[in-house]
């Protein structure tokens, strides 16, 4: 009987956490996660099959802005109900230079921006400001051939290029054996802050593939 009660309690806790991660009140969160995606990885795994314009070599995309995500210390809000107007096509198209496609800009507003408590123009402006404030190491743009390296090398390069960052303020993720993203934790004022446990997804690969910019 005791075991059944414990299982029920665990299920209730899990459901509560899931509910918190799928809703929330706009503007009520603890910090932001700025997600920078290595475009060649996304193109190799998804974009090429979609014939995405992001993957056109003429675009010269490296670290693109995946999104600016409101985050709790544990969990995160998403798809919040907001009274703010959705972005126009012109707004989303204007973000394609750093986000790859207008479609991603629209999706990020719908899932994350609506939880920021900001209007769509203000959210995009803040996202652009956050993206522009991070120095993206030039060394990765100079690659001419694919390389395999420890994921920790990516983290070290970002730390060296951004002296205000500490190791607990960013995490590097991998997918399908490739370097996927660098995620940085920022205050609402865009100052670097330690990441919560839910954000840390440190890739431990010693031979992660990093393809060059097209």
């Amino acid at each position: 009987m005791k075991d059944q009660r414990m299982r029920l309690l665990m299920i209730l806790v899990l459901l509560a956490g899931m509910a918190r991660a799928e809703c929330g009140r706009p503007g009520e969160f603890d910090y932001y996660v700025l997600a920078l995606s290595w475009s060649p990885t996304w193109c190799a795994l998804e974009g090429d099959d979609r014939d995405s314009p992001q993957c056109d070599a003429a675009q010269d995309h490296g670290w693109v802005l995946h999104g600016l995500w409101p985050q709790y210390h544990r969990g995160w809000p998403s798809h919040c109900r907001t009274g703010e107007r959705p972005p126009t096509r012109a707004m989303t198209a204007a973000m394609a230079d750093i986000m790859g496609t207008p479609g991603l800009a629209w999706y990020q507003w719908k899932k994350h921006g609506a939880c920021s408590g900001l209007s769509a123009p203000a959210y995009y402006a803040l996202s652009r400001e956050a993206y522009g404030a991070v120095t993206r190491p030039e060394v990765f743009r100079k690659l001419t051939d694919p390389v395999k390296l420890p994921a920790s090398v990516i983290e070290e390069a970002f730390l060296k290029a951004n002296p205000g960052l500490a190791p607990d303020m960013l995490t590097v993720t991998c997918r399908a054996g490739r370097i996927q993203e660098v995620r940085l934790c920022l205050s609402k004022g865009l100052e670097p802050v330690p990441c919560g446990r839910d954000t840390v997804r440190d890739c431990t690969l010693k031979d992660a593939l990093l393809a060059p910019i097209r």
Side-chain angles (χ1 to χ4, degrees):
M1 189 68 175
K2 183 177 179 180
D3 289 343
Q4 290 180 338
R5 288 198 298 267
M6 286 299 295
R7 282 196 293 271
L8 178 60
L9 179 60
M10 291 177 66
I11 291 172
L12 291 174
V13 170
L14 178 61
L15 289 175
M18 292 174 62
R20 195 181 187 204
E22 288 298 326
C23 63
R25 293 184 178 181
E28 293 186 3
F29 60 95
D30 298 313
Y31 65 99
Y32 284 113
V33 168
L34 178 70
L36 304 178
S37 174
W38 185 243
S39 185
T41 293
W42 182 80
C43 290
L45 299 181
E46 294 186 46
D48 288 340
D49 288 341
R50 301 180 185 182
D51 197 24
S52 172
Q54 176 178 329
C55 303
D56 188 322
Q59 299 301 322
D60 195 37
H61 284 308
W63 297 106
V64 297
L65 174 63
H66 183 174
L68 184 67
W69 307 334
Q71 191 85 11
Y72 300 130
H73 291 308
R74 295 195 66 180
W76 57 90
S78 66
H79 298 97
C80 298
R81 294 182 179 180
T82 176
E84 298 291 343
R85 294 181 178 180
T88 64
R89 289 186 178 181
M91 290 179 197
T92 57
M95 293 298 291
D97 63 322
I98 62 172
M99 297 190 80
T101 64
L104 177 61
W106 165 258
Y107 180 76
Q108 289 299 306
W109 161 259
K110 183 179 179 181
K111 184 175 181 180
H112 300 288
C115 297
S116 68
L118 302 172
S119 66
Y123 173 70
Y124 286 145
L126 189 68
S127 298
R128 186 175 290 277
E129 180 183 351
Y131 179 80
V134 176
T135 299
R136 298 172 295 283
E138 282 293 322
V139 63
F140 302 122
R141 295 191 62 86
K142 297 177 180 179
L143 290 176
T144 56
D145 296 298
V147 296
K148 289 189 175 182
L149 42 67
S152 59
V153 169
I154 307 296
E155 179 176 327
E156 290 166 4
F158 270 83
L159 290 172
K160 184 176 181 179
N162 297 272
L165 289 174
D168 63 349
M169 296 174 177
L170 77 163
T171 187
V172 177
T173 69
C174 294
R175 181 182 172 196
R178 296 170 176 259
I179 297 294
Q180 178 191 31
E181 290 191 340
V182 174
R183 299 176 182 176
L184 302 94
C185 299
L186 307 172
S187 71
K188 291 183 178 181
L190 303 185
E191 296 296 327
V193 295
C195 299
R197 286 187 296 171
D198 289 351
T199 299
V200 177
R201 296 287 187 274
D202 284 337
C203 176
T204 59
L205 291 178
K206 303 297 184 183
D207 58 349
L209 179 65
L210 187 71
I213 293 173
R214 300 179 175 192

